Each structure stands twice: as C-alpha cells, then as structure tokens.
C-alpha cells in the first residue's frame, strides 16, 4: 500500500469536509422532520400564490442541490428525472423554463413518495461528493448557500403549513406539543436609548452570509429610543377597538387602499366568536393570549399601529445598531425550540432574536458597494431589491443556525403569512 505523506492542509480540509457533510445531513433531515406530522393530502394544496405546497418545497430544495452543485461538480451525474428542473426551478431565469408559480398546487404528480425518493437520490450523491477529499473553496461556499437556502425553505414550510391547516375549517393542529403556554405576565414596554453617532452596518468576517448583507459600511444615526420588547396582542387589540382599522389618519395611502379592497379588521388567523377573539396556532385553535407578541400582520398594519401609538417603526440600521449595543442573542422562540409560536417576553430578553420578524421602515435596497454576481447566483437576492420592506430578527420558524445579526429578510408590505410583528421606536428630539 502506498504511504501517504502527512499533509496538515489535507487534514484540515478533511475536517472541514466532514463538518460540512454532517451539517448537510442535519439540515436535510430537519426539512423532512418538519413535514413528518403531515398527512399525504396536506402536501399538495396551494391555497394562495404565496403558499407553496410542502411537496414542492421538498422537491425544490432538492433541485437546488442538483442545479447548483451536482450537475457542475459531480462528474457523470445523471438527473433523477429530466422533467424535474422544469417543475422545481423557482425563479431562476438563467436556469431555463419553469412551471408557473401559480400552478404549483396542480402538480398531483410526481407523488409525495417519488419526491422523497428524489431527495434520497440527491442526498446519496451529495454525500458521495462531500466525502471526496478535493473540495474546493468555491464548492464549500456553494454548499453553505445550499444549506442556508434549505433553511429558508424550512421557515417557509412552517408558515405555509400553518396557512394550509389554518384555512381548513376544522383547524387541525400541526403539533399538539408543546401544549398551550399561557404567559400570565405582562412587562411594561421600556425604551432603551441610543446615542447619535456613526454605526457599523453589514456583515464582516469570513462566516457565511448572503450577498445582500455584504458591503459593510457606516451609517450616521440621530439619537433614538428602541422598545425593549415586541408589541403584544393586548396592545394591538386596543388599536383595533379604538378604531385603528377605520381611521385613515393612521395609514399610508397604499395601506388604506389595500384595506379598502379586503375586509381586514384583525391579524391573520384571528376570529371573533361571541365577543371573544380566538386565533389559529400550530398547536390548534385557541383564545388570543394578550401577553404574546402580535404576529401575522402586514407592514401597513405595523406602520399604522406605530402611528396610532405615537411612535414609529425603526429603520433597519437603527435595529442593527441597537443589537450591537444591547446584544441580541437572548432569544425566546426559534424553530429549534419547537414552540412554532411567538412567546411572551422573558424577564431578561429584549426579543431582538426570534419570536416574530420585525417590520422595519427601511426599503430593501442594496448596501453601498453591493455587486450582483452574474448568472443564477446573482438572481438569489439582487433582483428582489424593489418594492419590498426589510424585516429583522428572525421568528419562531427560523432555524437558529440560520440567523445572524446582519440578516436581512424582505417581503412586500401587504404580506401577512410569515410570523411578522412590531417593535416601536422613537426619535430623541433636541431641545
Ligand atoms: Fe428557493
């Protein structure tokens, strides 16, 4: 047997590859664990365009590994099914024609079973690829992107499953566990001061981040205050009962027009029965808990609430600067906790990480120095930097290892099916 020369670089590389493989297996298994409580009928429906069928998520995340990695880096890789790239490409113009997003719920075939076989086939090849010793840095970066992409879809799976089950008149629970937790305690909202000055914004260092977090730069902020917790259901109820939804004074014009087009009078999943408010949660249908953070509201509603309360939403820069000063790692509810619902503020927590994504008053725009990559990789984020608002902080459906201080989520201002909430801020005026 030929003796191999000792190579610290090779050993380092092997260690990196083994860690990457372990993470790959963990993340892929987590996606399937999210779908484990579902029945086969739940996998196919698409009640609104924004909500993709769980089967589609399972297949699309698998296609991503095929299209971005296996076809390029696995010599003699054969597609599992030559039609799947057409069915499961989401929005990548540079990767060819695709099935329309609006028609994902009409894909009765391939079956759920075939999609799981597709996942197993791709896993087998990815694991084989990651066991080889010549993993380039470029490939490592693409695997990181694939893992983070799959984790983004884990969050979408949770919110899409909630929409599917929460719009079934039987309101089936996704998971009976954990049982309903009553908060019982309400914390007064305190405001933390932030002095005016120059603050660092954006990702620095070598860890993975999406390209929209790059372009670290400084931003000058005037003095402001940031609330030490999210707005609760009880507080939002006061807005509702004091005419929040009927007084145009609180609303942006776009928001008011949006409101006139649909009978929205409460957060998504709220229902009034015999004078009492109930909401659908992934643990089932239950009375609204006044001390929990309000969630499933649009940007329009968040902004209207802030105006009604005599405060304002923070910019994404104010949010990030405050996290750098006050710390954000004291999370209460992320996907890993298995609560599938925002939790009440704990004594020490400021709820900056987890529970509900916080709508900011910042439009989704490129940072200075942002450059959009050519081809499919450039399509991941850059082309969405129009007509969307930034959300910060993660939610009870976000995997913990997916979150970073600099993470920028974005949605159109009318979207309500994600776990979205409100944090208030205010300017400190010079006397
Ligand atoms: Fe995707």
């Amino acid at each position: 047997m030929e003796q191999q020369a000792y190579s610290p670089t090779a050993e380092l590389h092997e260690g990196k590859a083994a860690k990457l493989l372990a993470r790959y297996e963990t993340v892929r298994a987590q996606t399937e664990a999210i779908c484990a409580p579902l029945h086969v009928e739940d996998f196919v429906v698409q009640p609104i365009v924004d909500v993709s069928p769980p089967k589609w998520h399972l297949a699309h995340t698998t296609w991503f590994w095929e299209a971005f990695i296996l076809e390029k880096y696995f010599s003699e890789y054969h597609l599992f099914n030559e039609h799947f790239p057409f069915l499961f490409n989401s929005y990548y113009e540079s990767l060819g024609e695709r099935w329309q997003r609006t028609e994902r719920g009409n894909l009765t075939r391939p079956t759920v079973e075939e999609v799981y076989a597709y996942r197993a086939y791709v896993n087998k090849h990815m694991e084989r690829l990651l066991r080889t010793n010549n993993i380039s840095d470029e490939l490592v970066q693409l695997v990181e992107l694939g893992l983070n992409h799959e984790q983004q879809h884990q969050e979408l799976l949770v919110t899409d499953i909630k929409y599917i089950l929460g719009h079934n008149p039987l309101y089936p629970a996704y998971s009976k566990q954990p049982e309903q937790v009553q908060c019982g305690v309400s914390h007064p909202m305190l405001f933390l001061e932030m002095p005016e000055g120059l603050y660092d914004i954006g990702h620095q260092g070598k860890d993975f981040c999406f390209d929209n977090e790059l372009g670290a730069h400084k931003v000058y902020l005037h003095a402001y205050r940031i609330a030490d917790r999210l707005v609760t259901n009880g507080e939002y109820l006061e807005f509702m009962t004091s005419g929040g939804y009927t007084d145009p004074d609180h609303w942006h014009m776009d928001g008011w027009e949006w409101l006139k087009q649909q009978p929205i009078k409460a957060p998504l999943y709220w229902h009034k029965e015999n004078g009492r408010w109930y909401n659908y949660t992934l643990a089932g249908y239950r009375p609204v808990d006044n001390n929990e953070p309000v969630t499933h509201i649009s940007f329009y509603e968040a902004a209207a609430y802030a105006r009604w309360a005599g405060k304002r939403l923070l910019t994404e820069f104010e949010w990030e600067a405050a996290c750098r000063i006050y710390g954000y790692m004291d999370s209460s509810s992320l996907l890993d906790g298995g609560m599938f619902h925002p939790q009440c503020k704990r004594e020490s927590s400021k709820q900056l990480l987890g529970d509900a994504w916080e709508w900011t008053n910042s439009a989704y725009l490129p940072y200075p120095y942002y450059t959009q990559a050519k081809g499919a990789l450039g399509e991941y984020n850059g082309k969405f930097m129009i007509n969307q608002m930034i959300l910060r902080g993660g939610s009870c459906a976000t995997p913990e290892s997916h979150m970073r201080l600099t993470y920028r989520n974005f949605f159109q201002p009318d979207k309500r099916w994600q776990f979205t909430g409100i944090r208030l801020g205010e300017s400190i005026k010079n006397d």
Side-chain angles (χ1 to χ4, degrees), residues 56-57 60-61 63-64 88 90-92 149-150 152-153 156 380:
W56 187 88
H57 285 293
H60 163 71
T61 47
W63 163 82
F64 193 92
F88 300 122
S90 50
Y91 55 67
Y92 296 90
H149 171 256
E150 182 122 1
Q152 284 184 313
H153 279 274
L156 290 170
Y380 199 103

Side-chain angles (χ1 to χ4, degrees), residues 337-391:
M339 303 296 280
F340 304 110
H341 197 69
Q343 301 299 299
C344 301
K345 174 184 156 58
R346 286 176 295 123
E347 198 69 53
S348 61
S349 167
K350 297 177 186 68
Q351 294 188 303
L352 286 160
L353 172 64
D355 291 312
W357 286 101
E358 302 169 27
W359 285 110
T360 72
N361 205 28
S362 296
Y364 182 36
L365 293 170
Y367 282 167
Y369 324 119
Y370 175 76
T371 47
Q372 188 170 327
K374 293 242 180 294
L377 284 177
E379 290 190 61
Y380 199 103
N381 281 313
K383 68 183 186 182
F384 298 106
M385 292 175 178
I386 181 78
N387 295 335
Q388 310 213 38
M389 300 304 288
I390 290 282
L391 301 102

Side-chain angles (χ1 to χ4, degrees), residues 31-39 43 116 174:
T31 306
E32 295 183 17
I34 290 167
C35 294
L38 300 182
H39 292 272
F43 280 91
Y116 275 109
Y174 161 74

